[in-house]
Every structure is written in structure tokens, then in C-alpha cells.
Amino acid sequence: MLEIILENIVTAPEQLGLPTAYAESDVLLYRQYGRYDTVAVQREGRQLLKRAEALQAEYDITALPRLAKQYAEWSKKLQQLKFKRLLHGEFAAGKGITLYVNAIRQECAEHGWDYAAYYDSVLVHERVHLLHYQAVLAHFGAAGAAVQSAEYKQAQRYWYGRQTEAAQAAVVKETLAEFARWLWCLQQGHLALVQAFLQTPEEAQACIPYYPYAGVRGLCALHASSLQVAVRAYSELWQLSLTSWQQAYERIKQLNAAKSSLQNQEHPSNGRFDDGL
């Protein structure tokens, strides 16, 4: 599938007989990630620090287990801080692709990127979602089924993630789409965009476990050593995503762990993880 996407992303959907119409919108929309307010979490952290200092002064070791439990709960909140990203494009099952042109213009003006190149790269990303969605429909036998059919409804439930799998599904879907976009930009010679995709704020990479694009760097690290290995990993991830978001997500964690291990070998004094998975 990656080969089809990269050979000719513009005509690949047509070759597969898929609808490719997309709409443009002038509105500015933001997508929020995380659950907890930053200010509230910071306040709770300061309170825990004061409590720890008081216990140290009082030599009250009996209260340490409770403090440790509170700290563990606070750490989980730290990993789910709220932040927003401006939406540049969106694929919605049954509605197709929407490109938010004012958001794209704003992003390009801020960073000095070529508008046409960035616009096309966003379209590439969303078309990969379209191809991925069609693959899910085909896997469930719903590619040509009516929307009222059991197969179609089952495929829809799976595509959006079943309850706790929703966040994992988002990571897998965005990883597949963004890595294909990154490779497309590399092939087209848009090197400024190639570098930009790898410069996502480290706070998001390190603190948000289910940050949707967190898996891209693992695939990029594989690509740096071998394109063939990266393509095989991508294809494996694609196939896993058709049957289990959880297994696909675990595969992304393995890719990122391998990348982090390699980085630590190259920079042993670093001692930190870049990806938040």
C-alpha cells in the first residue's frame, strides 16, 4: 500500500476506484488533545512539593506511601495536559476530505513555507486516511455494502475505535498518514517541510502518551537506516491496523523504543525519551 501511495499519491485513489473530491473551508478550527488543565496540574504539583517538604521536616515516614500514591496520580495527569493544534485538513467517513485553507496560509506565513507545497502535503495526508478507511471497509466486507448493513456498521465502529481503543486508533491512523506525507515531501524535494515534521514540540512528544503523531519518528528513524525496512514496518503496521488498533499501537511503541535505544547509544548522556508512547 505504501508503494501505491508514494508512486503517485495524486492518482492512487482513482486507480483504486475511490472518490477523491474534497472541499475547501475558510474557517479556523482547533483540535484539543489531553484531559487536564495545565494551571491546575501545576498548582497540584506545587502542593505536593510543599507536602513532601513538610513530611521531611517532620520525619513522618508513615505518610510517605500515601504521598507516593498521590505523586503517581499526579504524574498521570502530567502526561495528559491539554493543548490545541490548528486543524489544516480533516477526513471524515461519509463526508470526505476538507482542507482548511486559511489555517494553511497562516501556518505557511508563520514559518515561511511554500503554500502550494504545504497544501499538497496536507491533501496527501488526508488521502492516506481515505485509502486507510477504504481498506478497513474492505476488510469487514463493507466496501460496497449499504450504510444500514451490519458489515458497514461494524466497520464504522472499528474505524473510530471501540471505547478505550479510540486514542490508540488515532495514534495509528495519524502515524500512517503523516509518515506517508513525510516521505512524499522528501521525494518531492520539500526539505523544509521534511525537517518541520520532525520538529514537533518536544513537550508534546514527551508528555502526551496518545499524541497522534508520536509514532512518526520511529518510522523516520528506520528510514534513516533503510528505506526497505521502513516500508516493511509500515506495511506491517497497516495490516495490523485492519484487525487490532491495540496490536498496531504496541508495534508503534516497539518502533519508538528501538529508536530511543539507538539515540541513547549515540548520546548516552541524554537519558530521556523523545516520544510520548
Side-chain angles (χ1 to χ4, degrees):
M1 181 55 67
L2 183 59
E3 289 87 345
I4 294 177
I5 293 171
L6 295 179
E7 283 175 5
N8 199 335
I9 187 62
V10 175
T11 61
E14 286 89 341
Q15 291 173 358
L16 296 177
L18 304 178
T20 58
Y22 61 93
E24 293 183 348
S25 174
D26 293 331
V27 302
L28 294 177
L29 296 177
Y30 289 84
R31 179 164 290 163
Q32 180 173 286
Y33 303 97
R35 297 174 54 192
Y36 298 101
D37 180 72
T38 302
V39 175
V41 173
Q42 289 176 336
R43 184 186 307 116
E44 185 176 347
R46 288 193 294 268
Q47 292 172 348
L48 284 173
L49 181 59
K50 290 181 179 179
R51 180 60 177 156
E53 292 174 347
L55 291 177
Q56 185 177 16
E58 298 169 2
Y59 295 100
D60 186 2
I61 60 174
T62 60
L64 289 180
R66 181 183 177 186
L67 179 63
K69 182 179 179 180
Q70 292 174 335
Y71 176 79
E73 293 173 350
W74 175 79
S75 296
K76 292 180 181 178
K77 294 180 181 179
L78 184 66
Q79 295 177 21
Q80 299 183 58
L81 294 178
K82 290 181 180 179
F83 71 100
K84 296 189 298 184
R85 295 185 77 248
L86 190 61
L87 207 59
H88 300 146
E90 187 174 25
F91 168 76
K95 296 181 180 180
I97 294 171
T98 302
L99 299 183
Y100 298 100
V101 291
N102 280 347
I104 295 174
R105 290 191 183 98
Q106 180 174 314
E107 194 79 15
C108 291
E110 181 178 346
H111 298 284
W113 297 332
D114 179 75
Y115 173 81
Y118 194 83
Y119 180 101
D120 287 345
S121 76
V122 174
L123 183 56
V124 166
H125 178 105
E126 301 307 331
R127 283 192 166 188
V128 175
H129 283 319
L130 169 64
L131 292 171
H132 194 189
Y133 173 67
Q134 292 294 330
V136 168
L137 289 181
H139 177 78
F140 283 89
V147 295
Q148 298 87 357
S149 68
E151 293 83 2
Y152 183 85
K153 292 179 180 178
Q154 185 180 12
Q156 286 287 96
R157 287 195 297 270
Y158 180 81
W159 174 253
Y160 288 108
R162 295 183 291 268
Q163 298 177 353
T164 57
E165 291 186 5
Q168 296 177 352
V171 173
V172 176
K173 286 187 283 190
E174 296 303 336
T175 293
L176 289 169
E178 193 71 349
F179 181 66
R181 179 192 185 193
W182 181 82
L183 276 184
W184 180 86
C185 289
L186 187 64
Q187 289 187 347
Q188 297 298 315
H190 303 314
L191 300 184
L193 297 181
V194 169
Q195 291 299 318
F197 295 157
L198 297 181
Q199 293 172 357
T200 304
E202 290 193 4
E203 292 82 1
Q205 294 283 355
C207 296
I208 312 298
Y210 293 122
Y211 182 65
Y213 305 103
V216 177
R217 290 189 175 186
L219 286 170
C220 289
L222 278 183
H223 177 271
S225 60
S226 170
L227 172 60
Q228 289 73 23
V229 173
V231 169
R232 285 199 300 270
Y234 186 97
S235 299
E236 179 187 2
L237 185 60
W238 183 285
Q239 291 302 318
L240 285 173
S241 73
L242 302 181
T243 56
S244 172
W245 296 121
Q246 186 176 10
Q247 290 182 19
Y249 178 77
E250 289 300 321
R251 182 67 180 120
I252 289 176
K253 288 175 64 177
Q254 292 171 7
L255 292 173
N256 286 348
K259 178 188 75 68
S260 297
S261 176
L262 179 61
Q263 285 184 334
N264 288 337
Q265 291 176 15
E266 295 175 347
H267 307 285
S269 61
N270 189 4
R272 66 182 297 276
F273 293 96
D274 289 325
D275 291 311
L277 287 172

